[in-house]
Amino acid sequence: GVIFFPYFSQKNCDNDILISKLQLLYNLIRVNKMSWIQILNHERVKKILQRGIIEKKVASAYLFWGIEGIGKEALALEFAKVLNCLDPVSKGDEIAVCDVCRSCKQFRSLNHPNLQLIYALPAGKTTDSAAAESPLSKLSPEQLSEITEQLKLKAENPYHKISVANANQIKIASIREVKKNLTLAANTYGKRVVIVLNAEQMTGEAANAFLKTLEEPHDNIVIILISSHKELLLQTILSRCQQIHCEPLPESLIAEYLVENYDKTLAEAKIVANFSQGSLTSAIDFLDEDMQEMRRDIVDTLRSALKKNYRMELWKFLEKMINTKDKNKIEIHLKMLLIWMRDYYILTKTGNREALVNLDQVDRIEKFALLFPEADISVVLKEIEQAIFELKRNVNQQLLLLKLFLKIRKALLGVEF
């Protein structure tokens, strides 16, 4: 919100100190409400970017790299927003947007003249050479509508991944458009910022053209590449960028976000966060999976493998997994089992319930632990990890899973058949 202060004159104000204190309080409140805090974690990166603005040492080209879905694009958009804010708020080594000026409002809708987003586009209809210079002019009304909707979602949530059907390459037409726009005289305050999403998707032709753009000096222009696979970018492009590594998000932070924004219990959120590998968008994608059912299935499979007459029941559970014909889901099942067995290990070794991921399964894990108090769980964990590794290769899934559960049976019961 906006805080209004009454007019102070010499008559109703004893001295200028009160005014200074109120102004300081106002600025502190503005800074503390700054939109940098809406970006999860990445405090180190935020400080680097803010220091560059304050010290007027903003680089001409950056590469924000790290795994997908951790907020690299959110950082780039906020950086661009601060660079163009008409009334930025600063305090010490911090600087943030006012969030009320015309520029900030335009950025909220991603509709600022100084902002240009580059991303993969689908192939369009074949047109004459003049139209071909504009990548959007080749697209159908349906494709344009889809892109408009994706940009709207991105404006509402900077963590949203722009995904357009049949779009997996950044083609040279998009880079030519960047070069054309950069030659035009700027008619607004601030810096022009070009953000290239998933920069590794540039075709060879586009990458070479983009390299020439980086080599040409441009005043008051900042180019930001975003990549989850920087190893796929040309070394000559990398050498011309200030590279900023963005770390994966802590699982605890992801779990907290899911509880607050997706109405998940802490137990559900911890399981999903554990699978996310530090990626918020991956965690959100996992919400579409029935994680509870998958966990129940894999634990039931484990229990069936430990029964006296186990063969038919174990095979029934394994068939259910294999019949999905989805390697990713099989991997999720095995990771579920790995997490469950790690919880069992932690509980038996430390008794610390708070350290468990499967918080809602504590009683069940405790009962399981009573049945196998002397088992070498480290062997079981290694076997599951090895199976997950081998699953990524072209192996017989039936044989892989059967061998795994027979090894687990032997480790826990001391018998194989």
Side-chain angles (χ1 to χ4, degrees):
V2 180
I3 300 173
F4 294 95
F5 291 100
Y7 171 73
F8 289 94
S9 65
Q10 197 67 33
K11 180 178 179 181
N12 59 19
C13 181
D14 293 335
N15 51 57
D16 292 338
I17 296 176
L18 178 59
I19 298 177
S20 299
K21 286 184 176 180
L22 286 173
Q23 188 62 50
L24 176 61
L25 175 63
Y26 176 48
N27 287 337
L28 285 173
I29 291 172
R30 290 173 72 195
V31 170
N32 288 333
K33 292 176 75 67
M34 64 188 183
S35 46
W36 287 108
I37 64 174
Q38 297 173 7
I39 302 172
L40 300 179
N41 218 39
H42 300 305
E43 300 310 314
R44 178 186 62 84
V45 176
K46 293 174 188 176
K47 287 180 181 179
I48 291 172
L49 299 178
Q50 291 180 70
R51 187 167 61 246
I53 298 172
I54 292 171
E55 297 178 357
K56 301 187 184 305
K57 294 181 179 178
V58 175
S60 59
Y62 291 89
L63 169 67
F64 293 0
W65 68 278
I67 66 170
E68 188 176 293
I70 55 176
K72 301 187 298 295
E73 295 172 7
L75 285 164
L77 288 169
E78 191 60 29
F79 185 42
K81 191 175 179 182
V82 179
L83 288 172
N84 284 278
C85 179
L86 300 176
D87 186 24
V89 185
S90 61
K91 181 191 71 171
D93 59 354
E94 296 182 358
I95 186 168
V97 296
C98 69
D99 221 24
V100 294
C101 70
R102 182 183 72 256
S103 174
C104 287
K105 290 177 181 178
Q106 289 175 314
F107 261 95
R108 281 205 293 270
S109 61
L110 301 183
N111 193 32
H112 196 287
N114 278 354
L115 175 67
Q116 186 173 8
L117 293 180
I118 303 299
Y119 43 87
L121 293 173
K125 58 188 177 181
T126 303
T127 60
D128 57 59
S129 59
E133 292 183 5
S134 175
L136 294 180
S137 67
K138 300 166 58 179
L139 303 182
S140 68
E142 292 76 18
Q143 289 172 322
L144 291 173
S145 177
E146 183 183 5
I147 290 170
T148 300
E149 178 61 23
Q150 287 295 310
L151 290 173
K152 179 183 176 183
L153 293 171
K154 188 69 172 178
E156 294 171 353
N157 177 11
Y159 286 91
H160 173 73
K161 179 182 178 181
I162 293 179
S163 179
V164 181
N166 302 315
N168 51 30
Q169 287 185 329
I170 298 175
K171 299 180 180 177
I172 192 169
S174 295
I175 304 305
R176 284 173 177 160
E177 187 175 49
V178 170
K179 296 183 71 172
K180 177 182 176 182
N181 290 341
L182 294 185
T183 60
L184 301 176
N187 55 8
T188 58
Y189 168 86
K191 288 182 178 289
R192 283 186 284 176
V193 182
V194 178
I195 302 177
V196 184
L197 310 181
N198 299 309
E200 70 277 0
Q201 292 184 332
M202 284 189 287
T203 63
E205 191 179 23
N208 285 319
F210 190 76
L211 176 60
K212 293 179 181 178
T213 301
L214 289 176
E215 291 172 340
E216 297 168 359
H218 295 287
D219 293 332
N220 234 27
I221 290 170
V222 178
I223 296 173
I224 305 174
L225 303 181
I226 309 291
S227 180
S228 301
H229 301 281
K230 76 165 190 171
E231 69 279 3
L232 299 179
L233 291 168
L234 294 177
Q235 188 60 42
T236 43
I237 287 180
L238 296 177
S239 66
R240 284 165 173 77
C241 298
Q242 179 178 330
Q243 298 183 36
I244 298 180
H245 181 219
C246 301
E247 301 283 349
L249 301 177
E251 290 178 8
S252 58
L253 198 61
I254 293 175
E256 182 182 335
Y257 184 90
L258 297 179
V259 170
E260 292 179 356
N261 295 278
Y262 288 88
D263 198 28
K264 294 295 176 181
T265 66
L266 181 58
E268 292 172 327
K270 286 186 73 172
I271 292 173
V272 173
N274 197 279
F275 278 89
S276 69
Q277 297 183 313
S279 168
L280 179 62
T281 55
S282 292
I284 294 170
D285 288 342
F286 274 125
L287 294 178
D288 293 333
E289 301 282 358
D290 192 340
M291 305 293 274
Q292 296 283 7
E293 181 182 352
M294 296 174 81
R295 181 182 60 177
R296 183 172 59 250
D297 285 348
I298 196 63
V299 173
D300 285 346
T301 305
L302 172 65
R303 289 163 62 89
S304 70
L306 300 175
K307 291 181 178 180
K308 185 176 181 180
N309 299 311
Y310 66 93
R311 291 177 177 81
M312 292 298 294
E313 190 172 334
L314 174 60
W315 187 246
K316 181 184 71 174
F317 281 112
L318 294 182
E319 272 193 320
K320 182 178 179 180
M321 262 195 289
I322 295 165
N323 287 341
T324 62
K325 297 181 180 179
D326 187 335
K327 187 182 290 187
N328 290 332
K329 286 197 173 182
I330 295 175
E331 183 177 345
I332 292 174
H333 276 96
L334 293 182
K335 286 183 177 179
M336 284 274 191
L337 180 62
L338 183 65
I339 294 168
W340 204 86
M341 294 303 293
R342 279 178 180 165
D343 280 354
Y344 164 33
Y345 182 81
I346 291 170
L347 199 60
T348 54
K349 294 295 182 180
T350 69
N352 184 4
R353 290 185 170 206
E354 293 182 0
L356 306 186
V357 173
N358 295 279
L359 292 172
D360 58 337
Q361 294 270 305
V362 174
D363 292 341
R364 198 172 185 186
I365 294 171
E366 284 182 333
K367 289 177 182 178
F368 191 84
L370 290 174
L371 295 174
F372 311 101
E374 304 298 327
D376 188 351
I377 302 304
S378 61
V379 172
V380 176
L381 296 176
K382 288 179 182 177
E383 293 293 352
I384 300 172
E385 288 173 345
Q386 182 62 28
I388 293 171
F389 173 76
E390 292 182 6
L391 183 65
K392 298 179 186 296
R393 302 156 64 186
N394 292 324
V395 298
N396 185 306
Q397 295 173 3
Q398 292 178 337
L399 185 58
L400 174 71
L401 294 174
L402 185 58
K403 285 173 62 178
L404 171 64
F405 281 95
L406 289 178
K407 288 178 180 179
I408 293 175
R409 177 181 171 84
K410 182 178 180 180
L412 295 179
L413 297 177
V415 296
E416 194 167 343
F417 298 102

